[in-house]
Amino acid sequence: MVATDASAAQVAQAVQHPRVRYEVAPAEASGLPDASVDCAVAAQAAHWFDLDAYYREVRRVSRPGGLVALVTYAVLEVEPEVERLMAQFYWHTLDGHWPPERRLVEEGYRSLPFPFEPVEAPPLALEHRWNVEQLLGYVGTWSAVQSLKKAGRGEDLERFGAELRAAWGDPSRERLIRWPLSLRLGRVSPLT
């Protein structure tokens, strides 16, 4: 298995696995041999790609009958009292701070062109049990949060953190955090 990212910094942060080779390469020019891939997966990234170039690359590297999967997740799900605060922060406080491409993620990539024979994907979700500080650490990685801070609105983030901690209760309590996945799955036809 080969995992690629155009960013050397992202590749350096990857959790190493003995069966995965990590490479720095853009999705549109992976450097992989022709007809060497059974399934090309773009996870939470297709909205940044030059899709025409990426799809050409997928066709080039895919074996006959191979698959392509565009995977994304949007807003997390959690217990209602926390989810209400998360939704308010995500949709209102951060409004105007998300890059325009975020809309594609929120739509589950349904509006992206997808020139492949569709394959039904099963319902899937990512799940973690986190305490409040782990959730806040994750939220702190969002590009919209960084934009909010750069706009001089760090107090909005601090207020959200205080409200979330109050609603959470015991800070060591872990809650199930769930991200439903959206998959655009398709069968790759060869280049013609």
Side-chain angles (χ1 to χ4, degrees):
M1 183 179 302
V2 179
T4 66
D5 195 288
S7 165
Q10 286 286 81
V11 172
Q13 293 295 316
V15 175
Q16 299 296 304
H17 189 281
R19 293 178 55 198
V20 178
R21 187 176 82 233
Y22 300 87
E23 301 285 338
V24 176
E28 301 87 349
S30 68
L32 297 170
D34 292 354
S36 63
V37 172
D38 293 313
C39 184
V41 179
Q44 200 73 0
H47 53 288
W48 300 117
F49 295 169
D50 171 340
L51 282 176
D52 290 337
Y54 176 66
Y55 290 156
R56 278 192 304 277
E57 182 71 352
V58 166
R59 284 188 174 91
R60 183 188 70 75
V61 301
S62 292
R63 290 187 176 118
L67 294 171
V68 59
L70 304 183
V71 182
T72 191
Y73 58 89
V75 183
L76 62 87
E77 297 172 352
V78 66
E79 294 170 16
E81 66 273 18
V82 173
E83 192 167 321
R84 180 186 59 76
L85 288 170
M86 293 296 301
Q88 176 68 27
F89 184 68
Y90 183 95
W91 295 106
H92 299 287
T93 305
L94 296 177
D95 185 39
H97 291 278
W98 289 107
E101 294 83 2
R102 182 69 187 173
R103 176 80 58 220
L104 297 168
V105 170
E106 292 162 355
E107 295 171 350
Y109 288 159
R110 288 183 305 275
S111 63
L112 287 180
F114 195 70
F116 302 100
E117 176 189 336
V119 173
E120 185 73 24
L124 298 170
L126 296 171
E127 295 182 344
H128 286 285
R129 293 196 66 79
W130 279 350
N131 64 37
V132 68
E133 294 307 321
Q134 289 170 305
L135 180 55
L136 286 169
Y138 164 70
V139 168
T141 68
W142 292 353
S143 61
V145 168
Q146 302 311 311
S147 172
L148 187 79
K149 289 179 186 177
K150 285 181 185 170
R153 293 185 45 206
E155 71 281 354
D156 290 341
L157 179 61
E158 291 172 20
R159 182 173 36 261
F160 166 70
E163 290 171 355
L164 188 64
R165 288 181 184 98
W168 197 275
D170 177 359
S172 66
R173 177 181 177 195
E174 291 184 343
R175 296 176 190 249
L176 180 66
I177 313 293
R178 191 168 187 279
W179 296 265
L181 296 177
S182 296
L183 277 80
R184 296 284 306 272
L185 189 60
R187 187 78 52 203
V188 180
S189 58
L191 282 172
T192 54

